[in-house]
């Protein structure tokens, strides 16, 4: 509701939220929703997982619910379908974050990777899992790493 008020107010969000005496977590959530009000519904599993990767489950669901509540002319139908895909991905524990990868930085250190390269390789492996190029299993991730990174 707050996102709809702020989006239609045409003002900067923070002053409005502070006047409403919202806590900082609520302000961040509303800002993310309003900043992404032009977002298109994700059509594919990879698009859903990339959205979850970028914003996190709570924010993506907030954006979808906001779009469902505010869009007209069938747009909410697309977002309802997207919200189901989002919830399914979260409920099925699909891999969309580094924490969910079945490989860690310490595994890469054992392979001789050091420093910033650890994060870069982990992000590359996460992208491979999201795009379906590799399964999220330690063995397959290490094989993919050895062949592609």
């Amino acid at each position: 509701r707050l996102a709809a008020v702020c989006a239609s107010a045409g003002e900067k969000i923070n002053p409005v939220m502070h006047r409403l005496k919202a806590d900082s977590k609520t302000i961040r959530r509303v800002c993310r929703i309003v900043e992404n009000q032009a977002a298109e519904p994700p059509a594919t599993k990879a698009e859903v997982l990339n959205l979850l990767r970028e914003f996190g489950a709570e924010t993506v669901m907030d954006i979808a619910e906001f779009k469902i509540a505010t869009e007209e002319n069938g747009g909410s139908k697309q977002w309802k379908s997207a919200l189901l895909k989002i919830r399914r991905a979260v409920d099925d524990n699909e891999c969309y974050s580094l924490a969910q990868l079945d490989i860690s930085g310490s595994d890469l250190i054992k392979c001789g990777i050091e420093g910033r390269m650890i994060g870069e390789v982990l992000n590359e492996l996460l992208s491979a899992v999201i795009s379906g190029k590799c399964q999220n299993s330690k063995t397959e991730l290490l094989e993919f790493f050895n062949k592609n990174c």
Side-chain angles (χ1 to χ4, degrees):
R1 292 184 188 153
L2 289 172
V5 169
C6 290
S8 63
E11 297 181 41
K12 297 228 182 262
I13 300 165
N14 281 336
V16 171
M17 296 300 293
H18 284 293
R19 280 196 305 270
L20 294 171
K21 300 190 185 307
D23 61 271
S24 58
K25 182 180 178 187
T26 302
I27 292 171
R28 281 193 303 275
R29 285 180 73 189
V30 170
C31 287
R32 293 300 279 275
I33 294 168
V34 173
E35 289 167 1
N36 292 286
Q37 63 183 328
E40 293 294 322
T44 66
K45 180 180 175 180
E47 288 175 0
V48 167
L49 295 175
N50 276 316
L51 264 180
L52 290 167
R53 177 184 190 177
E54 184 175 353
F55 298 111
E58 183 178 46
T59 299
V60 172
M61 285 192 248
D62 285 347
I63 292 168
E65 289 168 356
F66 174 78
K67 298 294 278 185
I68 290 167
T70 59
E71 284 204 2
E72 299 173 5
N73 301 326
S76 65
K77 186 176 184 180
Q78 293 170 325
W79 273 103
K80 284 179 184 176
S81 172
L83 183 58
L84 291 174
K85 292 176 189 173
I86 293 163
R87 286 188 175 142
R88 189 174 310 121
V90 171
D91 291 345
D92 291 348
N93 202 29
E94 295 281 347
C95 181
Y96 59 85
S97 72
L98 294 176
Q100 294 172 304
L101 275 177
D102 199 26
I103 194 169
S104 67
S106 57
D107 295 317
L108 296 178
I109 290 170
K110 291 175 187 172
C111 294
I113 304 300
E114 298 176 347
R116 289 185 179 169
M117 285 299 296
I118 293 170
E120 291 175 19
V121 170
L122 287 171
N123 278 303
E124 185 67 30
L125 292 172
L126 179 58
S127 294
V129 171
I130 288 173
S131 67
K133 295 177 185 173
C134 180
Q135 294 296 313
N136 186 25
S137 75
K138 192 174 200 172
T139 305
E140 287 199 37
L141 288 165
L142 287 172
E143 284 178 22
F144 184 86
F145 165 72
N146 288 325
K147 289 179 186 174
N148 300 289
C149 297

